[in-house]
Amino acid sequence: MRKSVIYIFQLCFIFLFIGINPMKIKAQRQMRTINEGWKFLKGENIHASDSLFNDKNWTAINIPHTWNADAYIVKDYYRGDAWYRRIFFLTEENKGKELFLKFEATNQSARVFVNGNLVGEHKGGYTAFTFDITPFCSFGSQNIIAVEVNNSLPEVPPVSGDFTFFGGIYRDVWLITTPKQHLALLNNGSCGVFIDTPKVSQSSASFFIRGEVKNDAQIKTKVKLIHQIYDPEGKIIQRLESYLSLAPGENKNFKNQGKDIINLQLWSPEVPDLYTVETIIENPKNGQSIDKVTNHFGFRWYKFDGEYGFFLNGKPYKLRGICRHQDQKPIGNALSDEMHRRDMLLAKDMGANFIRISHYPQDESILEQCDKLGILAWEEIPIIDMVPDSKEFEQICKKNLCEMIRQHYNHPAIITWGYMNEILLATQRKFSKEEQTPIIKRTIDLAKQLEQILKTEDPYRLSAIAFHGSEIYNEVGLSSITNVIGWNLYQGWYGGSFTGFEGFLEKQHAKYPNHPIVISEYGAGSDKRIHSFAPQCFDFSIEYQQDYLEHYLPVIEEKKYVSGASLWNFIDFSSALRDESMPRINNKGILYADRSPKDVFYYYKSLFRKDSPVLHIAARDWITRTGIQQGDAPVIQPIKIYSNLDEIELFIDGQSLGTKKIKNCNAVWQVPFTFGRHYVYAKGSYNSCLIEDGVTISFQTIPEKLNRENLKGLELAINVGSNSYFTSDESELTWICDKSYTPGSWGYVGGEIYRPNDYSIGTQTEIKNTSDNPLYQTLRTGLEAYRFDVPEGEYEIELLFADVFNSSSEILYNIDATKQIKTTGNVFDIYINNRLVDENVSIGNQFGYFRAVKKRFVVTASKEEGIYVKLSPKNGKTFLNGIKLRKL
C-alpha cells in the first residue's frame, strides 16, 4: 500500500514538473477500428440480425472486404444481399459514455443491427455514415453487430455505369466512444466541425469555425468551447474561446469568427501549406478537456474564366490531372489506406496537380493525400447515364450530395463539387425524341435542386457537371445550371479523328465564350500484348494510345480557355460489363492495374515535371519483340524516348544511332535488330549532369522466305486480319501482323479486314474459351486462301476461328458506336493442297458464336506448291482469325 501511495505521488510530481495537469490526461473521445474478426455470408438470411444466431459456418474475413472478386472473371457478377457479423466487448468503464459506429462506406445500402436491434439504415455506396448505438449496448458482456449489405438496389445511384459496383463493407469501421458532452457525430457522417475561409488574398485571410455540440446528459450543462489555430510550422497563432449552455439532450450550433490571419502561407500544389484547428470542449469548472476534434485546412483562392482558364492564388494555372477509380485487381475496391495513399504518390510523382475523383466520393485517405501533397480535386456523386423516374432516387441523390460536402468540407484541395456524369448518354442512346422529353425535364429539375443544395451547403466552392460530347446539354439548358462544364471527349477513339478534338473545343468556345471548360475525360485503351507500327483506332495497341495522348495533351496545354484536363484513366480499372481486348477491364489507364507504369506514363511525367529530369526508353511495354526479316539484313523497328531534356543520344549494343532534339517530349529512332538480346542505352544532360537510361530487348526474327534451315524450331504464327503483333500471356508466342502473299514468301490471298463500323477493327465482343481474346476478335473475311511457299516435307497447320457474325450486346459507353454487321449461317469447306480436309464448316452453328475454335491438320508440302490453304464458301462468307505453321 505504501509503495502505491509513493508511486502515485511520484507520478503527480512528474506531471507537474513537465507542465501537465493530471486531471487533463483523462481520455476524451476514443476511436478504434473494428476491422478484424468479422463473419460473412453471401446471400439472404432472414435470421442473421438475431443476436443469438449461430454464424460459426460463415466465412471469417477482415474489413475492408468485397464479395465481388468474381467481377474480374464474369460479366454477370453477384449483385444482391450479403451479411456481416461481429462480436465486440464493452467494459463497465464504458457505462455513462456515448457509443457510435461509423462506417466509412458500404456499397450500396446497409442496415445495421446491434444485439438484434435495428440502429439505422443508409443508402448510398460511397459516403460515410454514423449511428448512435448507446441505447442498444451491453456492458461487461459481449455485443453483436450484424450488417445487411446490398449492391443491387435500383433506387440507389448510380443506376448504371462503366465500372463495377463492388458490394461489401469496403472501407474502415470505427467504434467511437465520447463523454456525454461532445462535438456532434451525427451530422451526415462528418466530424461536425466546419472551417470557412470566405476572403483570401495574397497577404491576409478571414475565417470562421462552425459546428455543433451535443449534450447527451439528462441535466443542463455549461461547457467551454476552444479553438486553437496552428500555423504550418505548428505554432499556435490564435486561440478562440466561448461558452455554451446546453439543455438536456440539446444539439447546439456554434459559429466563431477568428481574427484575420496576416503574413499568410498560401496553400498550392507547389507549396501545400496546411494550418490546423483543434476544437476542444472543456469543463469550465476544472479545465478538464472533455472532447477534441482536429482539422487541417488551407488558404487559397481561385476562379475559372471562360476566356483565360483557371487561376489559383491570382495566377494562371493549368490543371494537369487524372481521373481515378478505387479498385485494384484482383481485390476489388477493398483497398487499404496505404494503397490509396500510394496511388496519390504515383500521381504526384508524375507531376499531376489535379484529380477528378470519379465517379463518386472516395476514401478519406485520398483527400488527406491531396491536401498534403498538393493535388487540386473535383469530387462528385455518382449520378450517371440517366435520371430514373423515382422520387426515392432523387432524395438519395440529395442526401449523398449533402453527405459528400459535409464530410470533405475542410479539405483545401477540393475546388469543385460535381453531381452528374454523361447524364443524357443513355437517354440519347435508348429512347426516341418523344420519349426523351420527360427524362430531360426531370434531369433538369434534379440538377437545379442539387445546384441549390450545393450552394447552400458550400457558398465558396463551384459546381461542375461532366457532359459527353453532345450539343444536347447546351440545347436543353443543363450547361447554364452549373459553374464549370466538363467535357468527356474521345474523338479518334469512339469514332472520328484526333483533330476532331480541337475542332469540338473551338466550336464550343466560339459559341459559348463565357463557359469555363475542363476536359473531364479523354483517353484510349491499350493492351500490353498488342503492338503495331501502323496503329489504328480501337486496335488497343500500346502505340495507338501513345499517338492519341501525344496529340491531345499539347492541345490542352496550348489553349488558354481550357482550364485543364483529367486523363481517363490514371489506372486500368474494373468494368465488368466491358468486353474489348481485356474483358472485365477498362484499359485506358497509363498505369496497369498492379500500378506498374505503361511507357506513356513517362510522356506525362516529361511534360508535367520541370523540376527534375526525365529520360525513359519507351520499350518496357515491349521488351520481347518479333519482326519479319528479309534475308540476313537487320530488322528495322522504331524506339521512342520520352524526356524533358533538350536532346538525347541513343545507342544499341554500344553503337551510337545519333542525337535527336526532343519535340513534344519525345523522339523516335529507327533501330536495327537481329536475333538475340540487345542493350539499348540513352543519355542526355540536365544542369550539366549526365542522365541515362537503359533496357535489354530480346528479339525474335521471322524469315520472310522460308527454307529448311530457318524453319527449324520455328512456329510461324499469324494474327490474320490484324495490323498488330499479339503476344500470348499463356504461351508467350507472338502472332505477327497479317500480310499479303508474295511469291517465294507467305501470306493471304484475297479478302478484307473485318470492320464492324467506320472506326474500329474487329469485334469488341468477348470471345469465349480463350484467354487470347484479341487474337480471335480480328479476322479476315471473304478470304480465298492462305499460302506458304515452303520446302517439301511434313507440316502442322493450325487454323483459328471465331464466328462473330451474330447479334451481340453493344457497349453503351462506345459513345459513337454503330450497329455491328450481323449475319448468320457462314458455311465453307477447307482444302489444303487441293485435298478436302473439313467439309461444311459452320463455326457459329457447330460451336457457338463468339467462341474460339482451333483446327489442326498434318499435311505434306510438295516441292511445287508448298502449302495452299483454301476456304471455299457454300453459304455466307469465309473468314479466318489466325493461322500457324510448324515444320514437323
Side-chain angles (χ1 to χ4, degrees):
M1 179 67 183
R2 184 170 177 270
K3 289 182 179 180
S4 298
V5 171
I6 293 172
Y7 173 76
I8 293 170
F9 174 80
Q10 290 173 335
L11 187 63
C12 290
F13 177 79
I14 291 170
F15 286 144
L16 291 171
F17 180 77
I18 62 175
I20 296 176
N21 184 341
M23 293 298 291
K24 291 189 178 183
I25 68 166
K26 185 176 179 180
Q28 304 160 357
R29 77 168 58 192
Q30 296 179 355
M31 297 180 62
R32 65 181 178 96
T33 58
I34 50 171
N35 291 340
E36 68 288 339
W38 289 79
K39 292 292 193 73
F40 171 74
L41 175 71
K42 184 165 70 175
E44 298 181 4
N45 191 306
I46 60 174
H47 304 295
S49 63
D50 194 322
S51 60
L52 299 178
F53 180 81
N54 187 348
D55 58 22
K56 69 176 183 179
N57 294 323
W58 288 20
T59 304
I61 60 98
N62 288 334
I63 305 299
H65 175 263
T66 177
W67 62 73
N68 281 130
D70 60 336
Y72 292 107
I73 303 168
V74 296
K75 183 179 293 191
D76 187 22
Y77 62 100
Y78 178 75
R79 296 188 65 187
D81 236 23
W83 282 88
Y84 295 82
R85 286 172 58 89
R86 189 193 192 279
I87 296 172
F88 70 102
F89 291 87
L90 294 170
T91 65
E92 293 289 341
E93 293 179 356
N94 288 294
K95 277 187 176 179
K97 297 180 180 178
E98 296 300 301
L99 299 163
F100 301 87
L101 277 179
K102 180 175 182 176
F103 293 79
E104 291 190 358
T106 65
N107 201 23
Q108 288 175 284
S109 69
R111 294 201 307 150
V112 180
F113 299 82
V114 173
N115 295 329
N117 300 288
L118 178 64
V119 299
E121 181 174 3
H122 182 264
K123 290 185 176 181
Y126 306 98
T127 47
F129 55 95
T130 305
F131 295 136
D132 185 349
I133 62 170
T134 311
F136 310 105
C137 291
S138 300
F139 301 93
S141 61
Q142 75 175 25
N143 295 267
I144 301 291
I145 303 171
V147 186
E148 181 186 18
V149 181
N150 190 296
N151 67 333
S152 67
L153 301 181
E155 71 274 13
V156 179
V159 293
S160 63
D162 186 16
F163 56 96
T164 301
F165 300 167
F166 290 98
I169 305 177
Y170 68 95
R171 295 183 194 158
D172 294 329
V173 182
W174 295 86
L175 178 62
I176 305 171
T177 306
T178 72
K180 289 293 184 183
Q181 293 79 37
H182 56 87
L183 293 156
L185 278 153
L186 300 181
N187 189 338
N188 289 278
S190 72
C191 70
V193 177
F194 308 95
I195 303 157
D196 293 303
T197 58
K199 293 181 180 180
V200 182
S201 70
Q202 195 69 39
S203 57
S204 66
S206 63
F207 73 98
F208 55 86
I209 305 165
R210 55 188 173 83
E212 301 170 298
V213 175
K214 180 70 185 297
N215 177 26
D216 281 310
Q218 297 303 307
I219 57 172
K220 184 177 180 180
T221 305
K222 186 176 183 179
V223 297
K224 185 177 183 181
L225 182 65
I226 301 168
H227 305 293
Q228 292 191 152
I229 296 89
Y230 299 79
D231 69 13
E233 284 72 44
K235 178 184 175 182
I236 294 179
I237 56 173
Q238 285 192 41
R239 179 182 171 96
L240 311 178
E241 296 183 2
S242 60
Y243 292 88
L244 297 174
S245 295
L246 302 167
E250 184 179 7
N251 201 56
K252 178 163 283 189
N253 294 328
F254 63 82
K255 183 175 180 180
N256 302 113
Q257 176 82 46
K259 295 180 180 178
D260 285 6
I261 295 177
I262 57 174
N263 301 319
L264 199 59
Q265 293 174 253
L266 292 172
W267 184 96
S268 71
E270 291 70 32
V271 186
D273 281 334
L274 291 170
Y275 289 74
T276 302
V277 171
E278 288 180 347
T279 301
I280 305 162
I281 301 175
E282 271 191 7
N283 184 329
K285 295 180 179 178
N286 57 22
Q288 178 180 317
S289 178
I290 301 171
D291 193 20
K292 182 176 78 170
V293 167
T294 301
N295 280 285
H296 303 288
F297 71 109
F299 294 102
R300 77 284 180 273
W301 82 98
Y302 60 91
K303 70 173 183 177
F304 287 86
D305 184 273
E307 187 66 38
Y308 298 105
F310 181 71
F311 289 75
L312 178 66
N313 298 331
K315 298 176 182 179
Y317 199 88
K318 186 71 75 171
L319 297 173
R320 295 168 169 164
I322 58 169
C323 297
R324 178 207 186 244
H325 272 293
Q326 65 182 4
D327 76 283
Q328 179 171 337
K329 188 179 181 180
I331 62 174
N333 62 349
L335 274 62
S336 66
D337 288 353
E338 294 84 358
M339 296 168 80
H340 289 297
R341 288 193 286 266
R342 171 211 56 201
D343 287 356
M344 292 299 95
L345 287 168
L346 286 167
K348 188 67 176 181
D349 176 67
M350 187 183 76
N353 60 26
F354 175 61
I355 180 174
R356 180 181 173 212
I357 301 174
S358 47
H359 290 301
Y360 40 77
Q362 296 185 16
D363 195 275
E364 177 69 25
S365 58
I366 293 291
L367 273 303
E368 175 191 325
Q369 285 291 80
C370 287
D371 289 345
K372 292 180 177 179
L373 297 175
I375 300 177
L376 295 154
W378 159 340
E379 191 173 33
E380 62 194 347
I381 58 171
I383 309 175
I384 301 169
D385 293 341
M386 189 177 72
V387 174
D389 188 9
S390 166
K391 291 298 181 184
E392 185 175 6
F393 175 87
E394 292 183 8
Q395 292 305 313
I396 295 170
C397 290
K398 296 173 187 178
K399 176 71 171 174
N400 290 171
L401 179 63
C402 183
E403 289 172 334
M404 175 182 70
I405 293 172
R406 294 193 189 185
Q407 289 169 25
H408 294 158
Y409 190 88
N410 296 330
H411 291 285
I414 296 176
I415 54 175
T416 60
W417 303 113
Y419 51 79
M420 285 180 179
N421 179 72
E422 297 180 349
I423 196 61
L424 298 179
L425 175 62
T427 302
Q428 281 190 308
R429 295 291 302 276
K430 291 183 176 182
F431 299 97
S432 68
K433 286 281 188 181
E434 293 75 16
E435 292 170 323
Q436 289 176 21
T437 301
I439 302 173
I440 291 172
K441 182 182 183 304
R442 64 174 177 260
T443 301
I444 293 172
D445 289 345
L446 179 59
K448 289 178 177 178
Q449 294 176 63
L450 293 173
E451 184 74 14
Q452 184 175 5
I453 291 170
L454 189 156
K455 293 302 171 57
T456 301
E457 289 290 327
D458 188 350
Y460 308 112
R461 289 186 176 96
L462 302 179
S463 62
I465 302 179
F467 304 146
H468 76 281
S470 171
E471 186 65 19
I472 190 173
Y473 297 99
N474 293 315
E475 294 169 351
V476 303
L478 266 175
S479 61
S480 64
I481 295 173
T482 186
N483 298 131
V484 178
I485 292 171
W487 285 111
N488 299 350
L489 301 178
Y490 292 93
Q491 288 84 356
W493 184 245
Y494 297 121
S497 64
F498 292 168
T499 55
F501 173 58
E502 52 263 41
F504 181 92
L505 291 175
E506 288 296 324
K507 289 179 181 178
Q508 286 297 315
H509 181 59
K511 199 170 183 178
Y512 309 100
N514 296 322
H515 281 182
I517 292 176
V518 172
I519 311 305
S520 40
E521 292 181 23
Y522 68 101
S526 68
D527 185 327
K528 192 175 185 178
R529 301 169 296 174
I530 303 173
H531 294 273
S532 178
F533 300 125
Q536 300 178 36
C537 181
F538 242 69
D539 65 6
F540 289 91
S541 67
I542 289 289
E543 291 71 26
Y544 190 85
Q545 185 190 45
Q546 291 177 1
D547 288 351
Y548 178 101
L549 298 176
E550 288 168 22
H551 178 87
Y552 268 62
L553 198 50
V555 173
I556 293 163
E557 289 287 317
E558 290 163 7
K559 294 194 178 300
K560 286 185 178 181
Y561 62 82
V562 175
S563 293
S566 47
L567 168 70
W568 190 267
N569 197 283
F570 189 44
I571 306 163
D572 289 353
F573 64 93
S574 173
S575 181
L577 298 181
R578 275 193 179 253
D579 290 348
E580 301 177 335
S581 76
M582 296 167 60
R584 320 286 82 83
I585 298 292
N586 186 318
N587 56 14
K588 293 186 181 72
I590 57 174
L591 299 176
Y592 295 104
D594 66 359
R595 274 50 179 177
S596 60
K598 300 179 184 180
D599 284 324
V600 76
F601 170 92
Y602 293 94
Y603 171 60
Y604 278 78
K605 187 171 183 178
S606 297
L607 197 146
F608 289 171
R609 293 291 298 270
K610 303 305 180 186
D611 58 331
S612 64
V614 180
L615 170 55
H616 177 80
I617 300 173
R620 270 69 171 191
D621 289 329
W622 198 12
I623 59 171
T624 302
R625 294 189 172 211
T626 302
I628 300 173
Q629 185 176 32
Q630 297 179 352
D632 295 327
V635 180
I636 306 299
Q637 291 189 355
I639 291 289
K640 181 183 291 184
I641 299 287
Y642 286 128
S643 182
N644 59 6
L645 308 183
D646 292 331
E647 59 182 25
I648 300 295
E649 186 175 9
L650 188 71
F651 300 78
I652 182 168
D653 300 328
Q655 179 181 353
S656 175
L657 299 177
T659 299
K660 287 182 178 284
K661 295 286 186 182
I662 297 296
K663 297 179 181 179
N664 190 21
C665 296
N666 77 90
V668 178
W669 284 257
Q670 298 301 319
V671 179
F673 290 98
T674 55
F675 178 84
R677 291 164 62 85
H678 301 273
Y679 184 67
V680 179
Y681 169 79
K683 68 176 184 178
S685 177
Y686 179 85
N687 291 340
S688 300
C689 295
L690 175 67
I691 308 299
E692 54 189 346
D693 187 28
V695 62
T696 298
I697 296 175
S698 297
F699 201 88
Q700 169 73 39
T701 55
I702 300 294
E704 185 184 37
K705 295 190 176 182
L706 304 171
N707 57 47
R708 292 187 184 279
E709 191 62 30
N710 61 33
L711 278 165
K712 291 179 180 178
L714 176 67
E715 291 196 57
L716 175 53
I718 304 164
N719 189 6
V720 177
S722 174
N723 60 302
S724 299
Y725 294 80
F726 172 79
T727 301
S728 170
D729 277 341
E730 293 184 342
S731 67
E732 299 183 358
L733 177 66
T734 295
W735 297 71
I736 63 177
C737 51
D738 206 3
K739 77 179 192 72
S740 62
Y741 170 76
T742 55
S745 183
W746 46 268
Y748 63 79
V749 178
E752 61 183 11
I753 291 175
Y754 169 62
R755 296 182 181 277
N757 49 50
D758 61 0
Y759 69 90
S760 65
I761 179 171
T763 182
Q764 300 308 316
T765 301
E766 178 183 9
I767 307 300
K768 301 292 187 181
N769 302 335
T770 182
S771 61
D772 293 335
N773 208 53
L775 185 59
Y776 291 89
Q777 288 177 318
T778 53
L779 56 152
R780 193 164 194 86
T781 65
L783 180 71
E784 181 182 328
Y786 223 95
R787 184 165 183 171
F788 301 88
D789 288 347
V790 294
E792 59 186 337
E794 196 171 43
Y795 293 84
E796 180 184 85
I797 287 285
E798 186 173 80
L799 305 179
L800 276 56
F801 299 98
D803 194 332
V804 302
F805 300 97
N806 200 358
S807 298
S808 64
S809 59
E810 293 184 55
I811 301 173
L812 176 64
Y813 306 99
N814 285 3
I815 295 176
D816 295 312
T818 57
K819 298 285 186 180
Q820 292 195 0
I821 301 168
K822 299 169 185 177
T823 62
T824 57
N826 296 313
V827 183
F828 49 85
D829 295 335
I830 303 174
Y831 292 84
I832 301 180
N833 291 350
N834 296 316
R835 184 169 66 89
L836 180 64
V837 296
D838 206 345
E839 187 176 13
N840 295 324
V841 175
S842 181
I843 300 297
N845 291 330
Q846 293 170 345
F847 306 103
Y849 292 90
F850 303 101
R851 291 185 178 275
V853 175
K854 290 183 180 181
K855 289 179 176 286
R856 196 176 300 170
F857 305 92
V858 175
V859 299
T860 301
S862 66
K863 185 177 181 180
E864 293 76 18
E865 66 178 343
I867 296 175
Y868 190 80
V869 181
K870 180 180 178 181
L871 304 183
S872 180
K874 284 190 168 181
N875 186 65
K877 61 182 70 181
T878 62
F879 62 89
L880 184 64
N881 303 70
I883 188 168
K884 181 160 68 74
L885 170 78
R886 186 169 69 94
K887 178 74 169 66
L888 298 179

